[in-house]
Amino acid sequence: MTDLTGHAGEHAVAAAQAHGVETMFTLSGAHVFPMYDGAVKADPPMRLLDVRHEQTAAFAAEATGKLTRVPGLAVLTAGPGVTNGVSAIAQAQFAGSPMVVVGGRAPQNRWGSGSLQELDQPPILASVSKHAATLATAAEVAGGMDEAFRLAGSSHRGPVFVDVPMDEFFNSATSDAPTGHRAEPIEPDGDAVAKVARLLAEASRPLLVLGTDVWADGAEVAALRLVEQVGLPALTNGMGRGVIPGGHRLLVTKARSKALKEADLVVVVGTPLDFRLGYGVFGDPEAPARVVHVADSPGQVSRHADLAASVAGDLTQVFDGLQAALERGRKPDWGTWTSDLQDAVAAGVERDRALLTAEADPIHPARIYGELVPRLAEDAVVIGDGGDFVSFAGKYVEPKRPGGWLDPGPYGCLGAGLGAAIAARLARPSSQVCLLLGDGAAGFSLMDVDTLVRHDLPVVMVMGNNSAWALEKGPMQMLYGYDVVADLAQQTRYDEVVKALGGAGETVTDPKQIGPAIDRAFEANVPYLVNVITDVEAAYPRATFGI
């Protein structure tokens, strides 16, 4: 074992680099100066990406973990620096995003005396992270950080928080060099896989639902292979979007309602049976579908749903095991079911056309997607940060490749978009990066356009600006017949804010000008906001309010 010498900040950076980290997202704070010194002096140096609000640093680290499948790294100064990052850490916990957050901490030799920003942070973070702890001495930092990254990147993935007392951060120590070793994948139970295969073989109308963990677990190739080889209709959600390419004959997202209502077996892989999936209740109420839940680790298997079977473990092994078992037996005939769903998809495409080409004044939000989707490259990264406007994106944007869709996940946290855009531009330097913003969501983080400009990170931002918190306005009117605290200033020129920060942009009020404006945005090679004024009355038709 090689010895590592130097101050604790150097040890922390060495551990991060051993696990493949290339970028540290941060906002300057003296409690964590040793981390910056460690980054500058590392060989090779670690990129320092500084932002305007700690939430953006944490959201960028969370998105980096999603996009690269290497834990992202956020370094936040003590006290308010750490608490400003809590929402992003909670989002990572809900979404299973691998990330490590290093917090500054008041010095140990002054603890209890009331030094600046003295706060015992791990108890605050414990409920929204896989693990939260203080690395109390410089000698503990290398090993503690090595373990933090290993834990964050192992199933089920998520955020890990550690803080280091300021005096110990500056201290030197000699430690074993971090190994960067990852945990071994969890081997699924063969009998459980065989049971799921039998259920599939017996089903007349099966449906496969693929979620975020299919991508996070590196199982996207095996998933597509299973679908294509056995002819299994599929839906996708979260970062499962793109695992089955948009337009694929077995992707039945546009027939989602029919598929979930008429299926007799639903196999859900890599996503919780939460409000987005009716809490795991599918099919005809008189004859409910059998439900199978497949997760990357035992703790993720649903405890509330009535399951016909479940499997936990490495998802590639699960998919390959199912395919092998089905190919050994009599090949199921799902042709009629698949054909019915394909007809429903075609009908859905036809229904969508009217809204995607709508000439309405004010602009219908769907028209934006009618112009945007044909302009997206196959490797585009699309980021959703908003409520009602981004709900339309979920309906109309079908990625062609896996790993190109980012949304807040089940936590539903607004303000993640700018951080995610920063991460996407770094992770995919040659790809289009398109951030979809609601005008409400933009208020949380638009100042970090300054970060995009300072670090030369061109991103296209397309805003649906309906001058309201539309996701709340409609439901409140439905419940009470009126709404309050749901309106924003009319037709605010958010594009002028972006210009003032060094980017570019324009406001669009004519539907015919949406496409040309998006073209100008992609050609500009600077942070560019297309601020489209939309109709607040054109709300997304939703079947659930998340409760």
Side-chain angles (χ1 to χ4, degrees), residues 26 51 66 173 201 209 229 243 267 281 288 339 342 388 391 402 405 432 439 468 482 485 510-511 525 539 544:
T26 193
V51 301
K66 286 176 174 173
V209 180
Q229 292 300 313
V243 171
V267 180
V281 178
S339 180
Q342 289 169 341
D388 213 65
S391 295
W405 172 270
Q432 290 176 335
D439 53 322
Y482 70 92
V485 298
D510 179 351
N525 203 35
T544 175

Side-chain angles (χ1 to χ4, degrees), residues 381-425:
V381 179
V382 178
I383 302 156
D385 187 9
D388 213 65
F389 177 60
V390 173
S391 295
F392 283 100
K395 182 176 178 66
Y396 297 123
V397 179
E398 289 192 338
K400 298 289 188 181
R401 297 184 186 178
W405 172 270
L406 291 172
D407 61 28
Y411 194 52
C413 189
L414 298 184
L418 265 293
I422 291 165
R425 176 45 68 219

Side-chain angles (χ1 to χ4, degrees), residues 459-495:
V459 167
V460 171
M461 295 164 279
V462 179
M463 175 182 287
N465 182 351
N466 58 15
S467 305
W469 298 102
L471 200 61
E472 283 66 44
K473 187 179 181 74
M476 190 172 185
Q477 288 175 339
M478 179 186 70
L479 290 169
Y480 296 108
Y482 70 92
D483 66 86
V484 293
V485 298
D487 291 312
L488 299 170
Q490 291 293 306
Q491 302 190 12
T492 299
R493 293 295 303 272
Y494 295 100
D495 51 307

Side-chain angles (χ1 to χ4, degrees), residues 197-500:
R198 287 195 299 273
L199 290 170
L200 279 166
E202 295 166 0
S204 300
R205 299 181 306 281
L207 180 69
L208 181 66
V209 180
L210 302 173
T212 291
D213 291 334
V214 175
W215 164 259
D217 215 38
E220 67 275 9
V221 173
L224 179 59
R225 185 167 57 231
L226 170 67
V227 165
E228 292 185 328
Q229 292 300 313
V230 305
L232 186 56
L235 300 175
T236 58
N237 78 2
M239 289 202 74
R241 295 166 65 91
V243 171
I244 313 301
H248 193 285
R249 62 186 181 85
L250 291 168
L251 180 65
V252 297
T253 302
K254 291 188 181 300
R256 175 189 174 96
S257 178
K258 177 182 177 69
L260 291 174
K261 286 179 180 177
E262 298 183 12
D264 62 357
L265 175 69
V266 180
V267 180
V268 179
V269 185
T271 191
L273 297 176
D274 58 20
F275 69 93
R276 298 169 300 170
L277 287 172
Y279 303 102
V281 178
F282 310 109
D284 187 328
E286 300 300 319
R290 291 179 292 183
V291 180
V292 172
H293 198 200
V294 181
D296 63 2
S297 56
Q300 294 302 302
V301 175
S302 175
R303 293 182 175 88
H304 67 264
D306 182 12
L307 300 179
S310 65
V311 184
D314 179 74
L315 297 183
T316 293
Q317 295 182 48
V318 173
F319 288 129
D320 287 347
L322 290 174
Q323 182 179 337
L326 288 166
E327 289 176 344
R328 283 195 299 268
R330 180 176 60 84
K331 184 174 176 60
D333 182 6
W334 301 320
T336 301
W337 168 236
T338 300
S339 180
D340 286 348
L341 291 177
Q342 289 169 341
D343 288 345
V345 168
V349 170
E350 189 59 34
R351 282 195 307 273
D352 290 346
R353 185 170 288 114
L355 289 181
L356 292 171
T357 59
E359 297 288 343
D361 180 13
I363 294 169
H364 194 290
R367 176 61 187 267
I368 300 173
Y369 295 104
E371 299 292 341
L372 174 64
V373 170
R375 291 171 164 84
L376 292 174
E378 283 201 6
D379 64 346
V381 179
V382 178
I383 302 156
D385 187 9
D388 213 65
F389 177 60
V390 173
S391 295
F392 283 100
K395 182 176 178 66
Y396 297 123
V397 179
E398 289 192 338
K400 298 289 188 181
R401 297 184 186 178
W405 172 270
L406 291 172
D407 61 28
Y411 194 52
C413 189
L414 298 184
L418 265 293
I422 291 165
R425 176 45 68 219
L426 294 177
R428 309 279 173 81
S430 62
S431 298
Q432 290 176 335
V433 175
C434 182
L435 170 58
L436 306 173
L437 277 172
D439 53 322
F444 287 85
S445 61
L446 198 62
M447 190 67 192
D448 264 299
V449 167
D450 171 78
T451 302
L452 295 174
V453 171
R454 285 185 295 109
H455 292 277
D456 191 21
L457 302 173
V459 167
V460 171
M461 295 164 279
V462 179
M463 175 182 287
N465 182 351
N466 58 15
S467 305
W469 298 102
L471 200 61
E472 283 66 44
K473 187 179 181 74
M476 190 172 185
Q477 288 175 339
M478 179 186 70
L479 290 169
Y480 296 108
Y482 70 92
D483 66 86
V484 293
V485 298
D487 291 312
L488 299 170
Q490 291 293 306
Q491 302 190 12
T492 299
R493 293 295 303 272
Y494 295 100
D495 51 307
E496 295 294 339
V497 176
V498 171
K499 289 179 184 178

Side-chain angles (χ1 to χ4, degrees), residues 76-283:
L76 311 178
T77 196
V82 169
T83 55
N84 280 344
V86 170
S87 289
I89 296 168
Q91 175 167 294
Q93 178 78 340
F94 275 76
S97 309
M99 66 183 293
V100 172
V101 178
V102 179
R105 185 178 175 91
Q108 193 64 32
N109 62 11
R110 287 285 189 186
W111 196 260
S113 303
S115 59
L116 177 66
Q117 296 166 345
E118 182 181 304
L119 177 67
D120 190 16
Q121 295 156 163
I124 297 172
L125 277 299
S127 67
V128 291
S129 60
K130 288 186 73 173
H131 181 67
T134 296
L135 305 178
T137 67
E140 296 175 41
V141 169
M145 285 287 289
D146 194 26
E147 178 60 21
F149 278 98
R150 183 160 40 251
L151 185 59
S154 61
S155 300
H156 180 62
R157 295 158 188 83
V160 174
F161 175 81
V162 296
D163 61 10
V164 181
M166 186 177 185
D167 48 347
E168 291 294 327
F169 236 153
F170 281 89
N171 279 347
S172 294
T174 299
S175 304
D176 292 335
T179 63
H181 288 161
R182 298 186 180 185
E184 292 297 316
I186 300 169
E187 185 171 345
D189 179 81
D191 290 340
V193 173
K195 182 176 181 181
V196 176
R198 287 195 299 273
L199 290 170
L200 279 166
E202 295 166 0
S204 300
R205 299 181 306 281
L207 180 69
L208 181 66
V209 180
L210 302 173
T212 291
D213 291 334
V214 175
W215 164 259
D217 215 38
E220 67 275 9
V221 173
L224 179 59
R225 185 167 57 231
L226 170 67
V227 165
E228 292 185 328
Q229 292 300 313
V230 305
L232 186 56
L235 300 175
T236 58
N237 78 2
M239 289 202 74
R241 295 166 65 91
V243 171
I244 313 301
H248 193 285
R249 62 186 181 85
L250 291 168
L251 180 65
V252 297
T253 302
K254 291 188 181 300
R256 175 189 174 96
S257 178
K258 177 182 177 69
L260 291 174
K261 286 179 180 177
E262 298 183 12
D264 62 357
L265 175 69
V266 180
V267 180
V268 179
V269 185
T271 191
L273 297 176
D274 58 20
F275 69 93
R276 298 169 300 170
L277 287 172
Y279 303 102
V281 178
F282 310 109

